[in-house]
Amino acid sequence: LNAGSEVPSTNSNNRGCGLVAYNCLTRTMEYLVMHNVPDANGAFVHAAPANQNGAVLFALDGFESPIYGSVQLTLEEELILYTQQMYFNIISDQFPSGEIRGQ
């Protein structure tokens, strides 16, 4: 996750990383997201191709790092995951539309 991946990019120096494990039989997606945004106040998964903004699919289980959780995807969300159009977005007071993003 980084500021340059935001659309438009931000001037934040903060960074992060995310790991995803997906069980295609149960459509369960487990995630672990770590970041160093000190004033984060939201963490979401969105749907859009790289270099585009998209709708929020769901909120993560918290916003302070590390963030760990799981969610059962719909068939539509599964297709979004498989086509690499799903991204993590960490928001803050300074960047309410998103400070860092990872796709």
Side-chain angles (χ1 to χ4, degrees):
L1 288 74
N2 61 60
S5 296
E6 286 288 347
V7 180
S9 61
T10 69
N11 63 355
S12 174
N13 290 321
N14 293 314
R15 300 182 77 65
C17 65
L19 295 170
V20 171
Y22 187 65
N23 182 323
C24 58
L25 297 177
T26 63
R27 294 196 323 267
T28 301
M29 183 179 95
E30 294 180 272
Y31 54 84
L32 171 63
V33 178
M34 295 176 282
H35 65 83
N36 65 346
V37 178
D39 60 342
N41 60 26
F44 302 92
V45 171
H46 294 252
N51 302 312
Q52 294 181 28
N53 288 321
V56 172
L57 296 177
F58 52 88
L60 299 183
D61 291 337
F63 50 85
E64 293 181 359
S65 186
I67 308 165
Y68 175 77
S70 65
V71 62
Q72 186 171 20
L73 301 183
T74 66
L75 289 174
E76 181 181 354
E77 291 167 340
E78 182 179 53
L79 179 61
I80 292 166
L81 174 68
Y82 284 156
T83 57
Q84 300 178 20
Q85 296 186 42
M86 190 175 278
Y87 65 92
F88 294 114
N89 196 26
I90 308 296
I91 67 170
S92 64
D93 290 336
Q94 186 177 0
F95 300 101
S97 296
E99 181 163 343
I100 58 174
R101 168 180 170 161
Q103 188 147 5

